[in-house]
Amino acid sequence: MANVSVYNIEGKEVGTIDLNDAVFGVEINEHLVHMAVVSQLANNRQGTQKAKTRSEVSGGGRKPWRQKGTGHARQGSTRAPQWTGGGVVFAPTPRDYSFKMNKKEKRAALKSALTSRVAENKFIVIDELKFDEIKTKKFQEVLNNLNVNKALVVLEDDNKNVEISAKNIANVKTAKTNTINVFDILKYNTVITTKACVAAIEEVYA
């Protein structure tokens, strides 16, 4: 069972916490992690790109000149791709890029991502993270105390002050325990969370 230090918002170690190996100590499956990232990026694509093929552009109903005797290359239509205003070869059309992963694969990928952060000592647990007011400067001080500059901060549902305080800081993203995903865990190279959130994550994914 993995054991990590617990810090306060001043960056001082105040204890340790045991992490459930069923969530934070699994065998890392790089293939599923890659699939989860590709799936999320693909599902976010609009897929609305469109260009006209030669059958869709206007004009070019007749042959521009006779087949032989003009000195020009033979041409059948001004809608052909080599003409200005002609159609696009293999033009893109609207399509759905999304694909599905089953629930077991998604959970395994998320556990693998969390395990990798714990293994790399980039999983920081804080005893409590609550602010009396919305203050970006105060949140930046917490990051400085923890020596972190790029982080995914996992918060409880009722932690609005901290959530809004972090909103205007570059390279920081907040998430709830039920909205964390593989892409964000890997993009923000450090995960910061509270003891309460660790228990909630273990309850959901163990």
Side-chain angles (χ1 to χ4, degrees), residues 143 148-152 170-172 186-192:
L143 294 178
V148 172
N149 58 12
K150 187 174 184 181
L152 174 68
N171 297 325
V172 170
L186 298 181
K187 180 181 177 182
Y188 299 91
N189 54 16
T190 303
V191 176
I192 299 174

Side-chain angles (χ1 to χ4, degrees), residues 54 57 78 91 129 141 149 192 203:
R54 61 182 296 166
V57 294
T78 55
L129 186 58
E141 286 174 4
N149 58 12
I192 299 174
E203 188 179 337

Side-chain angles (χ1 to χ4, degrees), residues 92-160:
T93 54
R95 54 167 285 199
D96 180 12
Y97 287 91
S98 65
F99 67 92
K100 286 186 177 180
M101 290 176 67
N102 64 44
K103 282 184 181 178
K104 282 186 178 179
E105 287 176 330
K106 285 180 182 176
R107 288 170 79 93
L110 187 67
K111 289 177 185 180
S112 291
L114 289 170
T115 299
S116 71
R117 286 291 166 254
V118 173
E120 294 165 3
N121 295 320
K122 291 182 177 176
F123 188 83
I124 298 174
V125 181
I126 300 175
D127 57 350
E128 193 178 39
L129 186 58
K130 288 193 181 295
F131 293 168
D132 297 328
E133 58 179 340
I134 297 167
K135 203 77 176 171
T136 302
K137 187 177 179 181
K138 194 172 179 181
F139 191 91
Q140 185 62 58
E141 286 174 4
V142 174
L143 294 178
N144 294 341
N145 292 339
L146 296 170
N147 200 23
V148 172
N149 58 12
K150 187 174 184 181
L152 174 68
V153 184
V154 185
L155 301 167
E156 302 92 340
D157 291 339
D158 58 346
N159 215 338
K160 270 284 183 220

Side-chain angles (χ1 to χ4, degrees), residues 23-136:
V23 179
F24 298 100
V26 301
E27 185 180 341
I28 297 173
N29 189 323
E30 291 184 5
H31 172 64
L32 286 182
V33 170
H34 177 261
M35 265 183 68
V37 171
V38 172
S39 172
Q40 186 173 340
L41 293 176
N43 294 351
N44 286 341
R45 292 185 70 173
Q46 286 184 310
T48 54
Q49 71 276 44
K50 175 76 176 81
K52 291 182 179 181
T53 63
R54 61 182 296 166
S55 66
E56 295 168 317
V57 294
S58 61
R62 68 182 181 86
K63 194 172 171 67
W65 49 73
R66 65 182 191 270
Q67 180 81 345
K68 302 173 78 67
T70 62
H72 295 300
R74 67 189 80 173
Q75 300 291 332
S77 168
T78 55
R79 286 190 265 191
Q82 71 269 21
W83 284 75
T84 301
V88 177
V89 184
F90 307 129
T93 54
R95 54 167 285 199
D96 180 12
Y97 287 91
S98 65
F99 67 92
K100 286 186 177 180
M101 290 176 67
N102 64 44
K103 282 184 181 178
K104 282 186 178 179
E105 287 176 330
K106 285 180 182 176
R107 288 170 79 93
L110 187 67
K111 289 177 185 180
S112 291
L114 289 170
T115 299
S116 71
R117 286 291 166 254
V118 173
E120 294 165 3
N121 295 320
K122 291 182 177 176
F123 188 83
I124 298 174
V125 181
I126 300 175
D127 57 350
E128 193 178 39
L129 186 58
K130 288 193 181 295
F131 293 168
D132 297 328
E133 58 179 340
I134 297 167
K135 203 77 176 171
T136 302

